[in-house]
Amino acid sequence: MTTTQEPLSPNDSWWSSITRARELGIVVGLVALVAVTASANPRFLSAQSLRDVLLGASILTVLAVGQTVVVITRNIDLSVGSVLGLSAFAVGSLVRDHPGTPVAAALLAGAGIGVACGLLNAVLVRYGGVPALVVTLGTLYAYRGLVHTWAGGGQITADELPRGFLAFADGGVLGVPWLVVVALVVTTAATVLLRDFRLGRELYAMGSSPRAAQLAGIRTGRNTLIAFAASGALAGLGGVLHAVRFGTVDAAAGTGFELTVVAAAVVGGVAVFGGSGTAWGAALGALLLTTIGSALPVLEIDQFWQQTIVGALILVAIGLDRLVALRAARALRKGGSRVR
Amino acid sequence: MSARRLLGWDAAIIVVALLAVALSSVLVDGFGTTRNAGYLVLDLLPIALLALPMTFVVITGEIDLSVASTLGLTSAVLGALWDAGLPIETIMPLCVLLGALLGAVNGLFVTVFTLPSLAVTIGTMALFRGLAFVVLGDSAVADYPASFTGWVTGSSGGVPNVLLPLALLAIAFTVVLHATPVGRAVYAAGAGQEAARFSGVRVDRLKFWLYVTSGAVAGLAGVLWTLRYSSARADNGAGLELAVVAAVLLGGVSIFGGKGAMPGVLAGVLLLGTLQSALRLSDVTNEALTIVTGGLLVVSVLLPNLLRAATRRRAGPASARPGAPTTTP
């Protein structure tokens, strides 16, 4: 555009960037939900109930952030639920057999298992030329089968796990549980990485136009490996958090979780066809889904409505996303220099 | 379906499926019996039914992940209506109609609001499953007329009864896909939307009706599922969508659309079912079977790519890169 462009005042800039953010809708929805629920029953804001919501949201957040990194590149990772199960069982067995294992080592071990799973996904996508949807649908079964074969019908119970390991769920810093700290660190790191680093911008470029990204000299192969490894690592980390939080792990841990994870990302404004979305949006999506789950019984709404609401939310989220995109396109066509 | 296609993946998967059946009959005790064949058909029934319209949907370049939830919701509604005292003869067509309506919801979102089908059907997958639980909670409704449940599980002259509707539908879907203008439009839409539009294919209308069909078949599958197990439950068929997609992709349908054939898909369903049945009879746990399912899926898509790469390498480095100028020595 060669037309005169009004200079943006800094005030205008941050205000408009807030009001234009896709994530605003989720924040408003979340605040409204909490307000309504709390007014119906103030105990919803009790320390115990808040804690439960945050712990649940933490695990979902860690996986949803990983999913975001992959989905931004126009791929998808459906194997995360199975990776969570595999990691939870593996790390559960590890600390059961070696009670002295420090929690940090357990977290690293879980992430390591996840990286291995993620890299296998990535290699199949990158070198096999197989679409991510198909690869991760396959490994969803394969990894789950692996856990089942290994665990059989057995399970690891809380009294078999060392107390130091389980204490990680209760402990925290300044009253913030460790699980929440982990989720915050993961979300912040991914947000900064995606927004301010070259790698992050390359991931968006790959999702917006894979061919153009390649022509522009972006190392798409390497970046695909990194994205899937990140998603795997976070799913593996989520597995350890799962084991810590619930104390009981069997072969079915995390079954079907992949869809909740994708739902959290989609509700959080991450476009399934790549190129847009933020990690903190996905974290908000995870928080919203978890809050709905615990608000329903407080509002005396049948728990059975939960999935219905989640489904409707996904449809609303992608619908709104499309609406915003259409408005932006129309504004551009009219020749406006700025999209409001 | 060109001759080249028939000699390619479809032929391979058909041969592999038949080999699997033959080998299992010889090697696995109890596999080759009529009794087991009957179970095999019953086990394959929902996957085979749902795979028929799914093949169409995937060839147009879309996906329908909501089919298993549609099955669950129809099953739940069937149970609720039966509980309310409606005659089963009235409920069954209503259920198929309900399935078609649910499919229309998907079709509306995908074609009118032009939203990505993967996201839409992940949404309706949760939505429909949730509604199933709203309708029926976690209770089960049983006690359907024995004449109906008996027909679904029974057989006449050694041939399972349900094979008849399944075969009729399979033939109908195959003929429509491979021998009618609708089928050609499906391939055209999958190969390139714009090109298809310019050549007169009403892509959106086509896709809308494919989703309606997919929903209606899922409704029928819901009815048969309920009658087979004599139990309407909200979680009926949970997770089945992945098995259906796996069978369709195993059958050689490209997830990018435009490619695939019905005989391959049917062979894919048969191969999946045979392996599961044979392994189960050989005391391999259900859980280990999931590895087989997943491995098969990845290998089936990986193999043709690797073969192509190998052929290209043998053809020489000049043709290895697509778009590179081919210099014949």
Side-chain angles (χ1 to χ4, degrees), chain A residues 141-142 145 148-149, chain B residues 272-281 284-296:
Chain A
Y141 285 113
H148 273 294
T149 314
Chain B
L272 206 66
T274 303
L275 282 177
Q276 299 210 333
S277 165
L279 291 174
R280 207 173 293 142
L281 285 171
V284 173
T285 55
N286 251 332
E287 288 72 34
L289 286 180
T290 54
I291 303 187
V292 175
T293 312
L296 258 184

Side-chain angles (χ1 to χ4, degrees), chain B residues 156-193:
Chain B
S156 44
V159 180
N161 292 334
V162 287
L163 202 56
L164 181 70
L166 178 60
L168 287 179
L169 277 174
I171 291 170
F173 274 86
T174 310
V175 168
V176 170
L177 184 62
H178 295 299
T180 66
V182 176
R184 283 194 289 282
V186 166
Y187 282 104
Q193 303 240 21

Side-chain angles (χ1 to χ4, degrees), chain A residues 76 78 123-124 127-131 133-149 152 251 258-259 262-263 266 272-273 302 304-312 314-316 318-322 326, chain B residues 63 65 105 109 113-134 136-138 239-246 249 255-256 285 287-288 290-291 293-295 297-298 301-302 305-306:
Chain A
I76 195 163
L78 291 180
V123 165
L124 290 171
Y127 298 104
V130 183
L133 183 69
V134 181
V135 166
T136 57
L137 181 59
T139 52
L140 173 146
Y141 285 113
Y143 297 156
R144 179 62 64 191
L146 209 60
V147 199
H148 273 294
T149 314
E258 58 280 342
L259 294 168
V262 173
V266 169
V272 205
F273 283 112
D302 213 347
F304 297 129
W305 279 97
Q306 182 171 352
Q307 248 186 325
T308 314
I309 296 172
V310 170
I314 296 175
L315 293 175
V316 168
I318 58 174
L320 281 179
D321 206 50
R322 173 50 53 95
L326 284 180
Chain B
I63 199 162
L65 292 180
V105 172
F109 276 110
F113 302 139
T114 60
L115 297 171
S117 59
L118 180 64
V120 167
T121 56
I122 282 180
T124 51
M125 178 174 127
L127 185 73
F128 298 162
R129 184 66 70 188
L131 287 174
F133 276 102
V134 170
L136 216 54
D138 43 18
L240 200 66
E241 64 279 334
L242 297 181
V244 174
V245 173
L249 298 177
I255 190 82
F256 297 120
T285 55
E287 288 72 34
T290 54
I291 303 187
T293 312
L297 178 58
V298 173
V301 188
L302 195 59
N305 287 355
L306 293 182

